[in-house]
Amino acid sequence: MPPLEVCPDAMASGHGSSPVPRPGSGGVSDGVYCKDRGASSTRHYRPVRSLPDVCPKEPAGEARGSLCESPSVVAEHDRWTVYSSKVNLPAALNDPRLAKRESDFFTKTWGLDFAETEVMPSFYLPNITREHFGPYLQETAQRERIHERCKAICPNKDDVDSVSSNTTNHDKSRADLEQVPKIFMKPDFALDEPTTFNAVLPWSHFNSAGGKSSRDMTSSRLLQEKLSHYLDVVEVSIARQISLRSEAFFHAMSSQHELQDRLRNTQRAVAVLRQRTATMDRVMCQGQLRAVRTVLTRNNCVKLHGKLKLMAAVHQTQPTVQLLLSTSEFVGALELIYTTKEVLQQELQGIHSFRHLGSQLCELEKLIDKMMVEDFSMYARSDLNRSMRDEPHIMEKERLESLVFGLLRQRKLDFLDIYNNEMILAAKALVTQCVVDCVSQIEDIDTEVVTKLPDQMRLMMFHQWFDLLKNVFENFLLFLQRIKSTLSVIRNVVLMILDTNQKSRVLAEQQPSSSGSSEPQDHQSTSASSGCPLLQQGEAELAYLTHEGLFISDAISDAQQQQVVASAAAATQDQSSTPGSRVQQQGGRGGEACGSDSASGTTESSSSSFQTVGGAGIASGEDMMPSELELGRVANNIQELLCTASDVSHDRCVKVLVARAKDGSLERLSSSEFVCLCQAVEAFIRDTEELCCRRSMSLRGALQSQANRFVHRFHEERKTKLSLLLDNERWKQAEVPAEFQDLVNSIADGRITLPERKLPGPEDRKPSEHLLVDGQKYAVIGTVLLLIRMFLEYCQCVNDIPSITTDMLTRLADLLKHFNSRTCQLVLGAGALQVVGLKTITTRNLALASRCLQLVVHYIPIIRAHFETKLQPKQYSVLRHFDHITKDYNDHIAEISAKLVAIMDSLFEKVLSKYEVKAPMPSACFRNVCKQMAKMHEALYELLPEEQTQMLFLRINASYKMHLKRQLARLGVVNNGGPQHGLVGADVAFYTENVQALRTLEKLDLNMAEIWEQKR
């Protein structure tokens, strides 16, 4: 097959055009293949689409000459050239190197403002829908169906010929290719493999013995012809394929040559550009970059120097901490440790020489914790156990504040428990010391024989023990004042920390907003002061020459250096004006402690390096501080601790009371002694409550218990005394001493208290026969006078000990009931006959008993009103006891009156039963009655008041009239004016005259006419 040659004009065809063949007959001339573009070729072959030209056309004229010129990067580009063009949009969007199409192509090229928006439909074009084509489709539907049916039955002739020709050629080439063995068509066909070589050239035909034969020659010739045939088939098929695609092939070849030419021109332009760029780099960039590298190197050296100074300062941490611990400055040591740990974690992290310093600082911190706890315990012990006299309440206030601040910083919130334990031990020691001091002044107590403190207290006299108790109370008040002062210092430290945390939190909340608003202003002021405009990042990547020959990058660098120098000067001035922190001072002292000039110099230089880290150290210290909730709990626990101190003091005082009362000595106290004891205890309780603002019930409860025992003993003594007085009472009127009259007068004046006893003197008044109460005379017995004094003693106890009011009221009610019942037994029940040995109970005894009961009834409302003032409103129910007692006394008085009437009634019945109406007149019976009436009046006149005497004789007269009327009815004497009637009238007149002749009975209406009235 002859080789194919391509027309040179076809190679040089323009962009987008098909190869143009040279004119010739048959399409082949002089061995050069030219594509025939006749009508037949266009009929049987579809036109092949040309490949797109990726390179622009060569410009003509001046534009063509500009292609050879190299681009100038520095020159101004006012004129558009071919080099200003960009890659076309389809090529950029269909980049085969990307896995998928970029979604942000337009926005990253033209900015975020470029976004896909919907194109608004035109207002001038109607909205065309399928309904608009409905009539047309209906009209053409029938014709379209007929056309499709005809097209299917009678196909196009050209199409049939083309399809049949293509099908015939394809089938023929396919049949020819099928003759070629499949092994030649495999992609991995290689003759260097033995299996493939043996399959293509079977050696079995050439390996016959005896050399070459005619058969072998024939076989090899046939094999060669077969392979040649296979080659011809393949070449013919390739030629056919090339003939079918010749137009596209020649177009690609021409485009390839043109592309190579342009690539060579581009390569030359790029070489020139690189050469100029290298020159620009050498002239314009390398010097500036060297300056930048020098600045970076200098900055790195400055940072290294700062790190070294910081390392020198950190190296002096442990000696400085030891120096601070030697002076008990725990807070300063902790601040230094926290600052150093912060520096190690942030600034010096990863330095090999400090790899163990962090663990050493942690161990040192734990040691400081133990030292602070022990120091606080020693402080509390020494403060609470020192002398209570002539010393200030607070000892070493600065030391206490430092310890509390350090413990709170370390979150050792249980230091109050330590103080509580020391406080309990100190309270025990205080009581012991007071007892020892008191016992040492008493010679009667042998401490070698009696070793226990409670036994020693029981051996004391009451006044000695009472002085001891008052001394204990006084020392405990000083003890509580000292504790309150100490706890107030602790509370002030807690509140100060709480206030500081709140202020720092407020500042931290305000900093973000203030920094956000101040940064733009600072930035603008900096740019204005530098004298150069602000440049966006990415601009000035290349240093362009200005008209003065300087570089803009140099100007920017100079301005930045000026800003750095100004800021450094301002920072230096602020640091010099600001006093050094406590950590820096401690660092300086640590350097002096080293004893060498180099060490001190290192410490002084390192203290300045701590300037930037001190803030972080303080911040970390604040982070270690307890939260506001925990600080609030500590403040509440401080108040609770003060209340606990009050409770502990009361408990120790209760021990003193119980130790004294173990043998019942407090119960045997006199009322005045017990009142003094109660007043002292109540005063101590009030003072502690005012000091601690809390009620403590232990001491009050112990006092109430002792008061109950005292009340019981007090009541039993007086009840027994009253019983003995009544059992020995002979029920005769007693003289009233002047002191009892004064006592009654003081009660009348509203003073329900016992008056002070006066010493006997020559001016003392003589006793009187009656007790004058509110203008009335009371004839009383001596027991009633003592009873009045007794219930005044009860009222006095209530005044002195208000807590025993209800108990004392019930006991007083019991005493009054006992007096009433015992009086009834002795007088009405005639118990005095056996107990005292009276011969009889006379009317005078009865009247005297009644008058004593009336005196007690007179004082019951006064006593009730006095107790009501001492009771709470919810306790008023106990006052009903006085109502019951008043009723019982009035009933008893009525019974005595009835008894007096009964005595005369029995006399009248006995005497009048023997009455006879006969002369002489007055009869003996009436003379006897008048005599007994006179005796009765004589016995009662001096005892009972006039009104009660008249009422009593009216009742006696009524009894007399009843018995006389009954006797007259029995005798048959009627009011008929007869002789018997006259005799009876004379006796009655004698009776009336004698009765009305008695004192206070002159105006008594006897109404003797009732004896003649008949029953209806």
Side-chain angles (χ1 to χ4, degrees), residues 84 388 443 539 589 803:
S84 300
M388 296 291 173
E443 299 178 355
E539 294 184 6
R589 282 187 290 180
S803 60

Side-chain angles (χ1 to χ4, degrees), residues 375 378-379 382 396-404:
D375 198 7
M378 292 174 59
Y379 174 85
S382 60
E396 299 180 5
K397 181 178 179 181
E398 292 78 9
R399 177 187 175 192
L400 176 61
E401 291 176 346
S402 177
L403 285 172
V404 173

